[in-house]
């Protein structure tokens, strides 16, 4: 075997183990009984250590050195070597006992978070979360020393390869300055609309699920390679060619769960559209979380909150819930789905105020990793930030700092990719619609194939062939530009109203 084929086979084994971990994690979050938490924690920790042993194997360095001189390799294979080297460099920074300790701490913290969130009990979560945070700091320091990065950037690099907080600070400071004034402007425009009639419930969970499945199919989700379930926190997970999504239902309001399903479907379409020839190789992976979040927000915010989509979906909603009257007309539904209303919950936030939720979390997690803030002070700092950025008074920690699973699950450095993703989504959708005029008319008829076809060719099917900046520039003609996102917000919430 050549050095490259040795690497390919080795990383195929790593992918197989990652797939097993992915399904176990999905089961942990969706199906597992509470009494199994301890046993599952041990299993997940062992698998994490075994996978780390494979990805930090000393032979990888030798294989890379030999494969670098192989002139027979094509562009995909050379990009795979680049991605393999990135993974190996990061993973060799961590000792196996740190990987094991982190996995166990995360499993315990995730289970305690579920109870703490329900009871609005941050004090009960504090010791578990402190252990996760301390280990994340240690991981960030170890990776940072290997990569020449500050600890936070080393953690960010796991989710956004090449991402740096210095660049994000500039983008987010600009948005934080823009959003309060623009939010007031959008609210003033919105206040001039006639009052909306209420959508009368209840909305049975089974009817909501059926509608969600129908719209997932319209978007192009492949049910032969995935499924829809219920979890405390909506997510997309699973394994290669087994891409599972979850949502949560409220029988008093179907609109949130439905958009949650469409959001996670955007993630799933990206996973299902990855290049099959390299599905078990690093080069076949999605190109970082800002692009991943762009695909979910592109579907939810750009496509499925458009007038075209709601003209198509309104009759389906009426059919599903027996709705009748002005509140069920497509224009009324569009106004409902584009309503700006500063609130407590990130996943339920409108497109205008959503970035403020992320900016707050980003600033807090950066300070916590750097040791500039005590974890015990998180609830107060969170509540102060919500008042400053969104003008809301948080009544309890369930609606405040306990609402997200990311920190209990070890996802430190993940949050900024949400708003980077929103900006990227606007830029990609704008480019797609300019390149393919059939996209918006197709959405109006429930035909997403012009859009998904363009995305498969220009984003999904590229895997990690290119860096994030190069992929975005190739697909849209420019690097990430906040002006495109601002222009989109102004068109939708001020000019088109």
């Amino acid at each position: 075997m050549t050095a490259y084929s040795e690497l390919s086979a080795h990383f195929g084994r790593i992918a197989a183990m990652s797939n097993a971990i992915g399904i176990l994690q999905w089961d942990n979050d969706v199906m597992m009984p509470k009494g199994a938490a301890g046993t599952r924690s041990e299993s997940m920790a062992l698998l994490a250590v075994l996978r780390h042993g494979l990805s930090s194997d000393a032979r990888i360095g030798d294989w890379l050195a030999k494969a670098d001189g192989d002139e027979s390799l094509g562009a995909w294979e050379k990009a795979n070597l680049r991605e393999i080297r990135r993974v190996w460099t990061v993973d060799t920074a961590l000792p196996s006992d740190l990987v094991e300790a982190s996995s166990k701490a995360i499993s315990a913290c995730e289970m305690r978070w579920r109870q703490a969130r329900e009871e609005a009990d941050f004090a009960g979560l504090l010791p578990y979360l402190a252990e996760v945070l301390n280990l994340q700091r240690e991981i960030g320091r170890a990776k940072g020393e290997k990569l020449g990065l500050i600890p936070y950037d080393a953690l960010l690099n796991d989710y956004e390869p090449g991402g740096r907080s210095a660049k994000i600070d500039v983008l987010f400071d600009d948005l934080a300055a823009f959003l309060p004034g623009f939010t007031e402007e959008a609210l003033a425009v919105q206040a001039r609309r006639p009052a909306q009639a209420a959508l009368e419930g209840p909305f049975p969970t089974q009817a909501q699920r059926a509608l969600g499945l129908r719209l997932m199919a319209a978007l192009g989700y492949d049910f032969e390679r995935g499924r829809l379930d219920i979890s405390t926190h909506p997510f997309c997970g699973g394994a290669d060619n087994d891409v599972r999504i979850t949502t949560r239902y409220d029988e008093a309001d179907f609109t949130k769960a439905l958009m949650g399903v469409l959001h996670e479907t955007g993630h799933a379409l990206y996973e299902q559209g990855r290049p099959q020839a390299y599905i078990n190789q690093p080069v076949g992976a999605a190109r970082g979380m800002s692009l991943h979040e762009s695909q979910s927000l592109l579907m939810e915010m750009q496509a499925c909150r458009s007038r075209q989509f709601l003209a198509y979906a309104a009759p389906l909603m009426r059919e599903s819930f027996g709705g009748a009257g002005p509140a069920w007309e497509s224009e009324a539904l569009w106004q409902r789905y584009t309503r700006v209303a500063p609130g407590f919950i990130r996943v339920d936030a409108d497109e205008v105020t959503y970035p403020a939720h992320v900016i707050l979390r980003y600033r807090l997690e950066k300070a916590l990793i750097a040791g500039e803030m005590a974890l015990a002070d998180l609830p107060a700092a969170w509540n102060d930030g919500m008042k400053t950025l969104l003008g809301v008074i948080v009544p309890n920690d369930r609606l405040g700092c306990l609402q997200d699973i990311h920190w209990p699950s070890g996802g430190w450095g993940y949050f900024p990719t949400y708003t980077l993703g929103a900006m990227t989504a606007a830029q990609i959708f704008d480019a797609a619609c300019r390149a393919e005029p059939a996209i918006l008319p197709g959405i109006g008829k429930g035909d997403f194939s012009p859009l998904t076809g363009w995305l498969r060719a220009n984003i999904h099917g590229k895997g990690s062939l290119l860096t994030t900046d190069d992929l975005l520039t190739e697909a849209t003609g420019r690097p990430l530009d906040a002006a495109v996102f601002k222009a989109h917000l102004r068109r939708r919430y001020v000019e088109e109203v």
Side-chain angles (χ1 to χ4, degrees):
M1 295 177 72
T2 66
Y4 179 82
S5 60
E6 293 275 15
L7 282 167
S8 180
H10 188 78
F11 275 82
R13 289 191 289 274
I14 294 172
M17 185 166 290
S18 295
N19 286 335
I21 292 171
I23 295 300
L24 281 174
Q25 185 63 56
W26 170 88
D27 179 76
N28 182 88
D29 295 339
V30 178
M31 302 291 290
M32 186 187 75
K34 290 181 179 179
T39 303
R40 180 60 53 84
S41 174
E42 291 291 335
S43 299
M44 294 289 282
L46 175 59
L47 288 172
V49 169
L50 292 173
R51 178 174 61 181
H52 177 260
L54 287 173
S55 60
S56 60
D57 192 321
R59 293 177 298 171
I60 294 173
D62 296 332
W63 289 330
L64 283 168
K66 293 176 182 176
D68 279 339
D70 190 341
E71 297 298 328
S72 69
L73 301 181
W76 279 90
E77 289 73 25
K78 290 178 181 177
N80 200 30
L81 291 179
R82 181 197 70 219
E83 293 302 300
I84 287 172
R85 179 173 283 105
R86 181 177 63 81
V87 171
W88 181 68
T89 300
V90 170
D91 285 355
T92 53
L94 301 183
S96 60
D97 59 347
L98 179 55
V99 173
E100 182 177 13
S102 178
S103 179
K104 288 182 176 179
I106 286 168
S107 292
C109 193
E110 282 186 340
M111 292 305 294
R112 187 64 181 84
W113 168 78
R114 286 170 173 77
Q115 180 182 349
R117 178 181 177 274
E118 187 64 29
E119 298 172 356
D121 178 23
F122 181 78
L125 181 67
L126 182 57
Y128 296 86
L129 189 58
E131 179 68 8
V132 171
L133 173 57
N134 287 335
L135 290 165
Q136 287 295 306
R137 285 172 175 159
E138 193 173 343
I139 289 169
R141 285 193 294 269
K143 290 180 177 180
E145 288 175 4
K146 193 73 175 281
L147 298 170
L149 300 173
I150 62 172
Y152 184 81
D153 282 358
L155 297 173
L156 169 67
N157 190 66
D158 287 344
Y159 304 104
E160 186 62 16
R164 300 292 180 265
S165 56
K167 181 178 178 181
I168 294 172
D169 286 343
V170 173
L171 290 168
F172 283 11
D173 287 350
D174 176 60
L175 273 181
F178 164 78
L179 287 170
F182 179 76
T183 300
E184 289 183 8
E185 188 177 357
L187 288 170
V189 170
Q190 182 175 280
R192 295 195 289 270
R193 296 174 180 168
Q196 286 185 344
L199 292 172
E200 297 292 341
F203 306 103
T205 294
Q206 282 305 111
Q208 292 191 52
R209 173 178 167 80
L211 177 60
L213 292 170
R214 187 170 181 177
L215 292 175
M216 287 168 67
L219 267 62
Y221 183 88
D222 181 358
F223 288 97
E224 293 295 315
R225 296 188 291 147
R227 53 184 289 139
L228 171 66
D229 291 280
I230 298 173
S231 67
T232 303
H233 192 97
F235 70 94
C236 173
D240 297 338
N241 292 318
D242 186 359
V243 184
R244 306 180 181 197
I245 72 172
T246 70
T247 193
R248 58 189 180 208
Y249 297 103
D250 178 355
E251 294 201 340
D253 181 3
F254 75 88
T255 62
K256 295 177 182 178
L258 182 59
M259 280 298 164
V261 166
L262 298 173
H263 177 100
E264 299 304 337
T265 300
H267 279 304
L269 291 173
Y270 192 2
E271 288 296 316
Q272 291 183 339
R274 288 163 46 207
Q276 284 294 315
Y278 299 95
I279 196 71
N280 67 346
Q281 295 296 306
V283 75
R287 177 71 267 178
M289 289 312 303
S290 68
L291 270 170
H292 227 309
E293 294 302 338
S294 81
Q295 297 310 287
S296 60
L297 291 169
L298 185 150
M299 284 299 175
E300 179 198 356
M301 295 295 187
Q302 302 287 323
C304 294
R305 292 180 193 257
S306 66
R307 279 189 166 93
Q308 289 85 353
F309 175 77
L310 289 163
Y312 156 71
L316 304 183
M317 295 177 186
R318 291 194 293 270
E319 176 187 330
S320 297
F321 304 113
W328 292 89
E329 296 301 320
S330 64
E331 182 63 17
L333 289 166
W334 179 82
Q335 290 185 14
R336 184 175 299 279
Y337 270 122
T338 56
R339 182 171 179 78
V340 178
F344 307 119
I345 304 299
R346 175 186 62 83
V347 296
D348 295 335
D350 59 81
E351 190 177 19
V352 173
T353 62
Y354 185 94
H357 288 266
V358 173
I359 291 169
L360 172 62
R361 288 155 174 78
Y362 165 69
R363 290 172 173 173
L364 291 174
E365 71 176 8
K366 222 178 33 152
L368 286 165
I369 291 294
E372 298 168 354
M373 171 182 153
L375 186 59
D377 295 333
L378 175 61
W382 180 288
N383 296 346
D384 287 345
M386 289 292 286
K387 184 177 180 181
T388 299
L389 288 169
L390 287 159
V392 298
I393 307 298
V394 180
N396 58 60
D397 291 340
R398 183 177 187 275
L399 297 175
C401 63
L402 291 175
Q403 65 183 265
D404 294 306
I405 197 174
H406 300 64
W407 291 334
S409 68
W412 298 77
Y414 189 119
F415 273 122
T417 65
Y418 284 118
T419 288
L420 294 174
M423 296 165 67
T424 303
Q427 190 161 319
I428 290 175
F429 192 69
D430 176 72
C433 290
R434 284 188 284 106
E436 180 49 79
I439 286 176
L440 285 174
I443 290 172
K445 297 180 290 186
D447 178 10
F448 276 73
S449 61
L451 174 58
T452 55
W454 189 92
L455 292 173
R456 286 274 172 100
N458 292 280
I459 306 293
H460 305 170
K462 294 294 180 71
S464 288
L465 176 65
L466 305 173
T467 66
T468 301
D469 288 345
D470 287 346
L471 180 60
L472 187 59
T473 300
E474 182 178 283
T476 71
R478 67 176 91 179
L480 184 60
D481 186 349
V484 180
F485 180 56
K486 291 179 183 179
H488 159 71
L489 293 179
R490 184 159 295 282
R491 280 195 305 272
R492 173 168 285 178
Y493 295 94
V494 174
E495 295 172 1
E496 292 182 356
V497 173

